[in-house]
């Protein structure tokens, strides 16, 4: 396997640092200076590897979402039942890694940017369509009340509410408690859903991030 070039390594460092700033500040308040400082880079380093702040910020967002997508695919590979497949889609939103305040702020700020900037609008549209499709597919494998599309939309609204609370309203949020609330909804509306795998994983989650 070929060794990564210094330029590739530096680009990856800047991408990781940029997303850390986005998590902390939100896209709207992310600046070149903050990203370079987070990466431990000197002034002007960003423009050696990216055209501008927007190119780096978008690369950081796409990289973070690609890692999230990879984790989902790994969860699907391990899923052995329709219930575990549905939980794979849910955990991608409620796991402490993704419901911690920084990631939640980043997510909401990406949506906000999407209302004004086309590149982020495309990212948000594709992200929500893919997540909804995954939920619908899993729900259709389990008998439930109502149609799968409406149920998937309700779940997505719940996830967004969790992110808003985590990123802006509460100092701490307990992903396990949020997940328990959702499991109660599923028990009432998707009676064939087996929550044993979900509950087993949730036992390993901290009470709060």
């Amino acid at each position: 396997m070929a060794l990564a070039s210094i330029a590739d390594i530096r680009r990856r460092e800047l991408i990781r640092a940029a997303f850390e700033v986005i998590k902390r500040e939100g896209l709207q308040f992310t600046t070149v200076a903050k990203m370079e400082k987070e990466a431990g880079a000197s002034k002007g380093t960003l423009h050696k590897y990216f055209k501008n702040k927007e190119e780096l910020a978008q690369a950081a967002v796409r990289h973070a979402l690609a890692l999230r997508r990879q984790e989902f695919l790994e969860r699907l590979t391990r899923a052995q039942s329709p219930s575990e497949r549905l939980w794979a889609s849910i955990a991608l939103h409620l796991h402490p890694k993704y419901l911690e305040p920084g990631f939640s702020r980043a997510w909401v700020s990406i949506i906000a940017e999407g209302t004004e900037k086309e590149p982020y609008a495309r990212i948000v549209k594709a992200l929500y369509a893919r997540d909804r499709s995954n939920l619908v597919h899993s729900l259709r494998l389990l008998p439930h009340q109502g149609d799968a599309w409406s149920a998937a939309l309700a779940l997505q609204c719940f996830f967004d509410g969790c992110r808003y609370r985590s990123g802006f309203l509460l100092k701490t949020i307990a992903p396990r408690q949020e997940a328990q609330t959702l499991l109660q909804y599923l028990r009432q509306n998707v009676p064939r859903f087996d929550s044993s795998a979900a509950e087993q994983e949730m036992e390993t989650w901290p009470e709060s991030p």
Side-chain angles (χ1 to χ4, degrees):
M1 183 173 63
L3 295 175
S5 68
I6 296 298
D8 288 339
I9 293 172
R10 202 58 176 146
R11 282 177 63 88
R12 286 198 293 266
E13 290 173 346
L14 285 166
I15 285 172
R16 285 194 293 267
F19 196 70
E20 288 303 313
V21 176
I22 293 169
K23 287 166 60 178
R24 187 171 64 244
E25 307 282 349
L27 273 166
Q28 295 77 9
F29 298 102
T30 292
T31 65
V32 170
K34 290 175 181 177
M35 290 190 285
E36 289 177 335
K37 181 179 180 181
E38 182 72 25
S42 58
K43 185 177 180 180
T45 298
L46 182 150
H47 294 96
K48 295 179 181 178
Y49 303 99
F50 297 91
K51 293 178 181 178
N52 49 42
K53 183 194 81 170
E54 281 301 313
E55 185 180 50
L56 173 54
Q58 290 171 31
V61 168
R62 292 182 186 279
H63 177 69
L65 294 178
L67 292 178
R68 177 179 177 272
R69 174 67 175 170
Q70 182 59 40
E71 178 172 337
F72 172 65
L73 294 176
E74 291 172 358
R75 282 179 172 273
L76 278 188
T77 299
R78 298 193 299 269
Q80 299 181 355
S81 68
S83 293
E84 290 185 11
R85 182 185 176 93
L86 178 56
W87 173 246
S89 295
I90 293 170
L92 202 63
H93 298 272
L94 300 184
H95 189 282
K97 181 195 305 184
Y98 299 114
L99 202 54
E100 57 95 13
F103 196 92
S104 297
R105 280 192 294 271
W107 186 287
V108 174
S109 74
I110 293 166
I111 296 173
E113 286 292 283
T115 64
E116 298 182 355
K117 297 179 180 179
E118 182 59 29
Y120 291 106
R122 290 195 299 269
I123 290 173
V124 171
K125 182 178 180 180
L127 176 62
Y128 274 76
R130 186 185 304 118
D131 282 352
R132 188 178 305 120
S133 177
N134 291 330
L135 287 166
V136 167
H137 179 77
S138 298
L139 286 164
R140 283 176 174 167
L141 298 175
L142 294 163
H144 61 283
Q145 298 180 14
D147 66 281
W149 279 100
S150 296
L153 180 59
L155 291 176
Q156 287 189 302
C157 290
F158 177 82
F159 300 147
D160 281 340
C162 291
R163 293 187 189 99
Y164 187 69
R165 289 193 295 276
S166 173
F168 301 98
L169 297 183
L170 303 175
K171 290 184 178 180
T172 61
I173 190 170
R176 190 189 300 184
Q177 181 177 343
E178 299 287 353
Q180 287 287 7
T181 299
L182 187 58
L183 291 184
Q184 183 61 33
Y185 166 84
L186 292 176
R187 292 186 189 102
Q188 295 174 355
N189 293 276
V190 190
R192 293 283 297 277
F193 175 72
D194 179 358
S195 63
S196 57
E199 292 172 341
Q200 183 176 2
E201 178 182 343
M202 286 161 52
E203 285 298 317
T204 68
W205 295 3
E207 289 295 335
S208 62

